[in-house]
Each structure stands twice: as structure tokens, then as C-alpha cells.
């Protein structure tokens, strides 16, 4: 398995801690699925849809998302530990990471719903929301459906409850300290098969000629080979660490299952093939731009937008993050402009 | 589904062609703006940048506060470089040899790449041969030098330094 679940990852410890606080119903007599409560939110699913309910202006508000899209989005949010900033499942529902606490919102970043006052946000301690989201993922993911895979690679999410796929969803964001393949660092992927869409990618390794006395100090690997063997889609995983600068390449196919609004600037460098990015206003979702990136193209995602990528062929993308902890405040205060370079 | 149709579908599935870029062959993408400025996306293509750069110019193509991604046209022999922190190189086109020296005197703490002089004093650690898609560690405190027999393209992950060249208006979509 490509993912590395480190024992010292905080959310891994946390989810065990809060597992007893998850509020789940008994399985529904017809569909077989449980429903879940998290604060004032209620989550349920049937053969086709995940349904989210919340209170606002004295009424219960309801939003439905196709079950496959919902589970793909939930999978990323869980695997990334709520990632950086806003993870919009769609134009209504999502989470915002405060690194220790997480906002869950409905309509709060939808211009029309926000103006109508039918939005709702509730903040949870990370362990509770993580435990609840993982429980939903486990209950609602059926045998044969891998929410981390592209549609052509996996079975259906639809229908009544049938089996489970715990192995597919027990993956987390890969943790690399310096570079994969070094002693005491994350492993290479020689044990994983080459993805069907990357069968033409050369698998040769760099030649490393070490002088006596320097064994283990020179290090190189074939990054494109490593990516060709990724068994998941849309999952940035760290491959080099320079201070707070993280190279997080990933392999992309179909649609990024979330509309990501970052609380900082990030950059994309297209390593192979082509991705189209839909860019919207971070707060309202209003369209701003559509970017086509081909091999060698590099561009910034400003801190005031949300983005969602489309990739027909499985493609290689370098996501570049600056993990400095105080950045969200510096962007929010206006100390830093939302875009990284003026020219 | 007939057998013939099924076979056609399978053939189509295995005929994926992965498109990488190179100095000789790249197709720059585009921005369709609905609202705002195309400049805010700071969009360039590393092969185009390298095609128009002098050998081993460290052209900044990505900048996130102090951190940068630089594109280097690899051609001939580079100067000896050193750095007080780890850096990383990914070869995007061509073939490049990286020679490394364990310096007797590591560079003073500082940020970004520095020149290590014509003949850095230290012990040769060995060399690495990179081809397209290969990544290597440029360890903190070592000197390194690139050699390319044919033009190629390197990416370097580092911190903005004295050798970094910023020329955004020349390389970016406006």
C-alpha cells in the first residue's frame, strides 16, 4: 500500500480517543445504512444520495449529494486530516481546518445561501469530527467501491448496504521527513504495480556512484516511476522537504472530489499530460477563471480562490505547499496579499 | 455488448500515452478569465523558460514567501554550488550528471544556493546520473555541480538566494 500511516500522526491517536463519542443510529431496516449526528448536523444515506440536514431560521434545511461524490470527498477530507483551509464537498457543504478544531458548514460559502441567511456553521474538536467522518466512511462504503480510485478503476457506490471496504479507506496522507527511500523515511513504491495509465513511463532508476566512506549519503530515485505506481488519485503526498517547503506530487484522474479553498497560496506544476482547473471565489463560489495546464506549466493558486481540477488521462501533478503554521492569520489580516508575486 | 466491441474497449484502455514536456516539445496552457487578472496566477512553462535562459541561470518560476522553485537550463558544466540547508533537484528533460563534494568547511548558515568556488576543498562523495523524472537530494553542507552533454531542464527546490533570478514579466501570462 502506498500510504504510510505513522504511529505518531496526531489524528490517528485522536480518532481512537473519540470513537466512543460517535453518535450513530441502528442500521435502517430498508437501506441497511446507519445515520449519524454531529452537533446539529444529521447525515444519512440511501441507495443514491447522502443527505445532510441542519437547522436555520427555525427550519430544518436539507442538502443531497450523490453518494459516490460524497464518499470521494469524505475520503480526501479524512485522509488529509482536513488538509489546509476549506474543503468544499460541493457548492454547499464542507469543512474548514483550524488545526485542532474544524468548522463544518452548510451554505456558509455559497453567496446566495449566505445572503438568504440559511447557512449554518458549527465548530468541533478535531478528534470528534474525525471519528464521526471515519465512522460514516466505514458504514457507507460498500464492498467493491474504492472512494480513492478513479471511476474506471472501481465498482459502484450505489445501492443498499452490501459489505464494506475497510482496506481501501484506511489510508492516510503519506508522511515524509526528508525524501522517500532514505533510511528511516517513507518507502519507495517498488512493490506496487504500475498503474494501467502509466504503463509507458520508464522505470529506470538514477545511477548512484558512491565513493567509499559516503555510503547512504547520496540519494536519488525515479520520481516519475514512483508516481506511476501511486494506487490512489488526488492525494498529495510529500516527496521532498526543504524547511517548510513541501513537494507533494500526486496522480490525478477524473475530477478532484473537492473544491479546495486554501488558507494560503499553493502552486501547481503539471508534470505530465493535462489538467483543467475551475477557479471560483473562495467566499461565494462565483466563477473567476478556467486554467488549462499542460506538461511543464506552473501556476499559483491565490489564497482567495477555490479550485477543482479535471483530468481525463491519469496525470502527474506537483502540488507545492508552504506549511508555515502562521500563514492563515497573515493572509486574513491583509499582511500578505492573496497572490504571491506582483509584476 | 458483443465480443468485438468489448475487445475494442480493452484495447483503448491499454493504449494510454503519457505526455511529458521537453525543451524540444512543450505546449503551454492557457487561462480563460471570467473575473480578475490573469497575472495573479503567475503562469509560466518551465520548458519555455529554460529554452530562453542562459545555461544554469537559476530562474524563479515559483515563489511562496522565502521558498522558491527554480528552473535551470542544464547545458555544459555548471559552477560548484553549495547550500546551508537541503535542496532537491528533479530532472525534467535530458541527462545530467551531479558530482558531490563533502566540504571541509560547510557554508555558513544562510538561505538559498551560494557559489562554492572553482575548486571546493573537500572529499569527493561520488556522482549521480539523472534522467527524465529522476530526483536527487542535494544535502546541506555539500558542494554539487551539474554536467550535461546535451541541453536539459532541471527544477531546484530551495530558498530564494543571491543567485535566484526573478523575471516574472518576461515569463508569465499577463
Amino acid at each position: 500500500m502506498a500510504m504510510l500511516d505513522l504511529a505518531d500522526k496526531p489524528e490517528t491517536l485522536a480518532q481512537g480517543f473519540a470513537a466512543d463519542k460517535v453518535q450513530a443510529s441502528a442500521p435502517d431496516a430498508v437501506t441497511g445504512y446507519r445515520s449519524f449526528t454531529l452537533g446539529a448536523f444529521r447525515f444519512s444515506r440511501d441507495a443514491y444520495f447522502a443527505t445532510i440536514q441542519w437547522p436555520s431560521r427555525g427550519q430544518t434545511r436539507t442538502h443531497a449529494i450523490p453518494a459516490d461524490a460524497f464518499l470521494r470527498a469524505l475520503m480526501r477530507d479524512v485522509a488529509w486530516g482536513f488538509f489546509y483551509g476549506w474543503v468544499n464537498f460541493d457548492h454547499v457543504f464542507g469543512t474548514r481546518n483550524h488545526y485542532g478544531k474544524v468548522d463544518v458548514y452548510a451554505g456558509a460559502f455559497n453567496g446566495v445561501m449566505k445572503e438568504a441567511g440559511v447557512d449554518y456553521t458549527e465548530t468541533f474538536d478535531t478528534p470528534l469530527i474525525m471519528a464521526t467522518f471515519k465512522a460514516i466512511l466505514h458504514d457507507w462504503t460498500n464492498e467493491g467501491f474504492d472512494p480513492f480510485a478513479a471511476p474506471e478503476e472501481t465498482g459502484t457506490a450505489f445501492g443498499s448496504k452490501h459489505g464494506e471496504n475497510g482496506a481501501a479507506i484506511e489510508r492516510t496522507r503519506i508522511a515524509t521527513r526528508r525524501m522517500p527511500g532514505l533510511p528511516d523515511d517513507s518507502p519507495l513504491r517498488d512493490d506496487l504495480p504500475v498503474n494501467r495509465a502509466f504503463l509507458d513511463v520508464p522505470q529506470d532508476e538514477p545511477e548512484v556512484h558512491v565513493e567509499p566512506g559516503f555510503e547512504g549519503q547520496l540519494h536519488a530515485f525515479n520520481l516519475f516511476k514512483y508516481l506511476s505506481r501511486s494506487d490512489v488519485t488526488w492525494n498529495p503526498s510529500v516527496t521532498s522537504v526543504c524547511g517548510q517547503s513541501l513537494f507533494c506530487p500526486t496522480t490525478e484522474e477524473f475530477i478532484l472530489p473537492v473544491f479546495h479553498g486554501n488558507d494560503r497560496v499553493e502552486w501547481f506544476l503539471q508534470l505530465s499530460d493535462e489538467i483543467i482547473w475551475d477557479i471560483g471565489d473562495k467566499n461565494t463560489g462565483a466563477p473567476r477563471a478556467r486554467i488549462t495546464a499542460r506538461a511543464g506549466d506552473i501556476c499559483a493558486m491565490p489564497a482567495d480562490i477555490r479550485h477543482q481540477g479535471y483530468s481525463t488521462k491519469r496525470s502527474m501533478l506537483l502540488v507545492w505547499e508552504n506549511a508555515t503554521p502562521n500563514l492563515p492569520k497573515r493572509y486574513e489580516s491583509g499582511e500578505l496579499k492573496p497572490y504571491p508575486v506582483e509584476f | 455488448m458483443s465480443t468485438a466491441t468489448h475487445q475494442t474497449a480493452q484495447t483503448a484502455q491499454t493504449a494510454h500515452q503519457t505526455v511529458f514536456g521537453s525543451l524540444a516539445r512543450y505546449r503551454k496552457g492557457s487561462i480563460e478569465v471570467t473575473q480578475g487578472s490573469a497575472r495573479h496566477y503567475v503562469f509560466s512553462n518551465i520548458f519555455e523558460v529554460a529554452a530562453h535562459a542562459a545555461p544554469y541561470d537559476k530562474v524563479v518560476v515559483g515563489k511562496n514567501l522565502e521558498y522558491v522553485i527554480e528552473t535551470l537550463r542544464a547545458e555544459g558544466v555548471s559552477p560548484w554550488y553549495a547550500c546551508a540547508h537541503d535542496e532537491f533537484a528533479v530532472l525534467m528533460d535530458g541527462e545530467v550528471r551531479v558530482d558531490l563534494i563533502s566540504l571541509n568547511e560547510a557554508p555558513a548558515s544562510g538561505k538559498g544556493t551560494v557559489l562554492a568556488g572553482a575548486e571546493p576543498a573537500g572529499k569527493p562523495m561520488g556522482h549521480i546520473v539523472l534522467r527524465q523524472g529522476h530526483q536527487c537530494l542535494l544535502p546541506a553542507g555539500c558542494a554539487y555541480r551539474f554536467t550535461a552533454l546535451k541541453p536539459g531542464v532541471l527544477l531546484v527546490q530551495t530558498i530564494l538566494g543571491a543567485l535566484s533570478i526573478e523575471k516574472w514579466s518576461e515569463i508569465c501570462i499577463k
Side-chain angles (χ1 to χ4, degrees):
Chain A
M1 187 173 291
M3 301 297 110
L4 182 70
D5 198 356
L6 288 178
D8 58 357
K9 282 196 80 172
E11 63 263 36
T12 307
L13 295 172
Q15 84 216 14
F17 181 69
D20 59 331
K21 292 184 180 158
V22 173
Q23 292 184 35
S25 73
D28 180 85
V30 176
T31 66
Y33 296 110
R34 297 176 193 276
S35 58
F36 295 83
T37 305
L38 178 65
F41 285 101
R42 183 172 181 273
F43 299 87
S44 57
R45 84 154 279 186
D46 58 28
Y48 283 126
F49 303 108
T51 299
I52 303 158
Q53 293 179 300
W54 67 94
S56 104
R57 300 182 66 176
Q59 279 189 319
T60 297
R61 307 281 169 176
T62 303
H63 179 62
I65 303 177
D68 60 337
F70 180 82
L71 291 170
R72 287 190 183 103
L74 188 65
M75 180 75 256
R76 300 315 184 285
D77 215 12
V78 164
W80 299 341
F82 304 103
F83 210 38
Y84 297 104
W86 290 257
V87 174
N88 298 286
F89 285 39
D90 66 357
H91 59 297
V92 173
F93 180 79
T95 63
R96 182 188 177 183
N97 198 356
H98 295 287
Y99 315 99
K101 289 184 185 292
V102 177
D103 291 343
V104 179
Y105 55 80
F109 298 94
N110 175 303
V112 173
M113 294 176 75
K114 179 81 179 168
E115 196 168 314
V118 298
D119 62 302
Y120 179 73
T121 302
E122 192 169 338
T123 306
F124 302 98
D125 289 332
T126 300
L128 176 63
I129 177 177
M130 178 58 82
T132 304
F133 275 19
K134 282 202 94 165
I136 296 174
L137 200 53
H138 272 281
D139 190 65
W140 292 4
T141 303
N142 290 314
E143 185 179 2
F145 179 66
D146 180 352
F148 242 137
E152 206 182 55
E153 297 182 302
T154 187
T156 176
F158 301 126
S160 54
K161 175 81 180 153
H162 54 280
E164 53 189 45
N165 193 354
I169 61 186
E170 281 297 335
R171 297 158 164 146
T172 57
R173 200 169 179 222
I174 200 160
T176 295
R177 294 177 180 86
R178 196 177 183 201
M179 177 168 161
L182 282 168
D184 302 322
D185 215 323
S186 61
L188 298 176
R189 293 176 177 161
D190 294 359
D191 297 341
L192 286 170
V194 178
N195 185 273
R196 81 209 188 290
F198 289 134
L199 289 173
D200 60 341
V201 173
Q203 300 289 308
D204 62 310
E205 289 289 350
E207 296 166 27
V208 181
H209 304 269
V210 185
E211 293 294 334
F214 293 101
E215 292 82 1
Q217 292 187 42
L218 297 197
H219 185 57
F221 76 116
N222 184 340
L223 176 66
F224 291 176
K225 170 188 172 185
Y226 178 87
L227 293 174
S228 74
R229 293 165 184 257
S230 166
D231 63 345
V232 292
T233 62
W234 307 101
N235 189 46
S237 301
V238 179
T239 53
S240 52
V241 179
C242 171
Q244 298 286 343
S245 158
L246 307 180
F247 273 17
C248 317
T250 148
T251 62
E252 319 298 50
E253 185 174 338
F254 191 48
I255 304 175
L256 171 58
V258 304
F259 229 119
H260 181 216
N262 208 335
D263 55 16
R264 62 197 71 209
V265 170
E266 67 187 311
W267 287 74
F268 294 150
L269 199 169
Q270 193 68 34
L271 297 172
S272 83
D273 306 293
E274 177 180 303
I275 292 180
I276 290 167
W277 295 98
D278 262 345
I279 318 281
D281 183 275
K282 187 162 75 181
N283 291 315
T284 67
R288 279 214 195 163
R290 184 175 188 269
I291 292 182
T292 301
R294 302 200 184 97
D297 287 340
I298 179 168
C299 68
M301 291 290 127
D304 60 352
I305 60 97
R306 66 177 79 172
H307 57 264
Q308 182 171 48
Y310 294 70
S311 184
T312 298
K313 181 190 172 295
R314 201 182 194 91
S315 66
M316 298 183 183
L317 172 70
L318 172 60
V319 176
W320 181 39
E321 297 280 359
N322 182 337
T324 304
N326 64 352
L327 288 184
K329 273 186 189 160
R330 295 174 67 192
Y331 283 107
E332 273 193 7
S333 70
E335 178 204 335
L336 297 175
K337 291 193 171 157
Y339 41 90
V341 179
E342 278 189 282
F343 62 93
Chain B
M1 189 188 285
S2 75
T3 308
T5 313
H6 186 62
Q7 280 174 349
T8 308
Q10 280 197 336
T11 308
Q13 237 188 54
T14 54
H16 291 288
Q17 192 192 348
T18 303
V19 179
F20 293 109
S22 66
L23 275 173
R25 199 179 168 88
Y26 62 88
R27 271 177 77 210
K28 194 175 184 175
S30 58
I31 306 176
E32 298 167 36
V33 172
T34 305
Q35 270 190 316
S37 168
R39 290 170 183 252
H40 292 171
Y41 303 98
V42 201
F43 186 115
S44 67
N45 179 287
I46 63 162
F47 301 109
E48 184 180 68
V49 170
H52 297 99
Y56 301 109
D57 269 3
K58 290 163 70 71
V59 183
V60 182
V61 292
K63 186 181 181 188
N64 200 330
L65 302 175
E66 63 180 331
Y67 297 103
V68 292
I69 297 177
E70 297 170 340
T71 294
L72 282 69
R73 178 189 179 91
E75 186 175 5
V77 184
S78 80
W80 283 100
Y81 298 112
C83 192
H85 51 78
D86 280 350
E87 299 176 292
F88 299 86
V90 179
L91 188 70
M92 297 295 288
D93 183 24
E95 181 172 316
V96 166
R97 173 180 162 134
V98 188
D99 287 279
L100 292 108
I101 291 174
S102 175
L103 291 171
N104 293 342
E105 212 169 315
S109 66
K111 290 174 175 176
T113 313
V114 295
L115 292 171
E119 289 180 45
K123 286 184 185 159
M125 301 171 75
H127 71 272
I128 295 168
V129 179
L130 302 174
R131 285 178 292 272
Q132 188 177 51
H134 295 180
Q135 171 180 324
C136 82
L137 169 66
L138 304 168
C142 300
Y144 59 91
R145 183 179 71 179
F146 303 119
T147 305
L149 299 179
K150 289 179 190 168
V153 180
L154 277 162
L155 289 179
V156 174
Q157 178 188 13
T158 183
I159 298 178
L160 191 74
L163 302 175
S164 306
I165 297 169
E166 294 188 75
K167 50 176 185 180
W168 302 102
S169 62
E170 282 178 45
I171 64 173
C172 291
I173 293 179
K174 290 173 197 165

